[in-house]
Amino acid sequence: MSVPEAKAPSRRRSNHKPPQSAAANANKPDPRRERLVRLAAPLFLKKGYDNVSIDDIIAVAGGSKATIYAWFGGKQGLFEAVVRQKCDDVTLGIDIDAPGSLEEQLTKIGQSFLVLVLAPPILEFHRLMVSIGRTFPEAGRLFFQSGPVSAYAIVAQWIARQQKEGRLLIEEDPYRLAVLFLDMLIGEHQLGWLTSMPRAAQKAKIDETVRIAVKVFLGGCQTSSKG
């Protein structure tokens, strides 16, 4: 967004608002629905999917069974909405538009990703998805597509952009490179927490992991023209 010139005349704000189309209103998120999903998430994390009833959800979030069935079709649909929301909390927070050199940009990507994916609620959510993956494969597939696959695709966009600008080598597929980079970041820290060894996720170790992963990635992918 360009900054207006200092002497530019101020624009008079109009009170007239253009009408919104029905389609735009239909796609607009309902804050009541979002709130219900947010409040239902801790119940699933604490008690597990099978041990949460619709009555439990209503007791915490309010509303009615009719509302839950109208919005989600039942408990499974609500849980799937929780899965999407938790995954969005991570993927939408990955910063692929930071300024600076390749090293600075990639460091920002790595740090923003790890801060989100290693947050205790997300780690608890990951543990839940691993535990129910076999008995609830639909939710497992939804988690994988909305979470890891989306995160890989977002970072792949950044890699493809750098390849197009000649800053990264183009011999390899951007998506595969994104998988390798993000997996370098999370392996030790995420697995350590999931196996009750949380000391692996200390900030000093996380910063060191990001630094080394960026160095290794750029060492293999950066062109001779550094930027």
Side-chain angles (χ1 to χ4, degrees), residues 11-182:
R11 296 181 180 179
R12 184 174 299 174
R13 183 177 298 174
S14 172
N15 292 325
H16 175 71
K17 296 182 179 179
Q20 290 184 319
S21 67
N25 287 327
N27 293 329
K28 187 177 181 180
D30 188 328
R32 298 170 301 168
R33 185 182 186 279
E34 296 296 312
R35 176 181 176 276
L36 196 155
V37 175
R38 290 282 179 196
L39 292 176
L43 284 177
F44 288 119
L45 293 179
K46 182 178 180 180
K47 303 174 68 173
Y49 176 79
D50 291 332
N51 296 324
V52 174
S53 69
I54 291 182
D55 287 333
D56 292 332
I57 295 166
I58 292 172
V60 171
S64 65
K65 287 185 178 180
T67 299
I68 291 176
Y69 278 96
W71 281 345
F72 308 102
K75 187 176 80 167
Q76 178 175 334
L78 174 56
F79 181 69
E80 290 172 352
V82 169
V83 172
R84 291 189 184 92
Q85 189 178 74
K86 287 295 183 183
C87 291
D88 286 348
D89 286 345
V90 173
T91 58
L92 297 180
I94 300 174
D95 187 359
I96 63 169
D97 295 314
S101 66
L102 280 181
E103 180 180 355
E104 291 169 337
Q105 291 182 48
L106 198 56
T107 297
K108 183 64 175 179
I109 290 172
Q111 290 174 339
S112 64
F113 173 71
L114 281 184
V115 164
L116 295 164
V117 82
L118 296 180
I122 299 300
L123 287 168
E124 287 283 2
F125 172 66
H126 189 106
R127 176 176 282 173
L128 173 63
M129 296 310 304
V130 170
S131 69
I132 69 173
R134 290 186 177 180
T135 57
F136 198 171
E138 296 87 355
R141 285 191 289 268
L142 176 62
F143 164 72
F144 186 70
Q145 291 295 325
S146 302
V149 171
S150 293
Y152 295 145
I154 289 169
V155 177
Q157 292 177 18
W158 179 86
I159 293 173
R161 188 166 70 226
Q162 307 309 320
Q163 288 178 330
K164 185 177 180 180
E165 294 176 359
R167 306 172 82 187
L168 293 179
L169 300 174
I170 63 174
E171 286 82 0
E172 305 297 341
D173 174 47
Y175 183 87
R176 300 313 308 168
L177 291 175
V179 171
L180 292 173
F181 178 68
L182 292 185

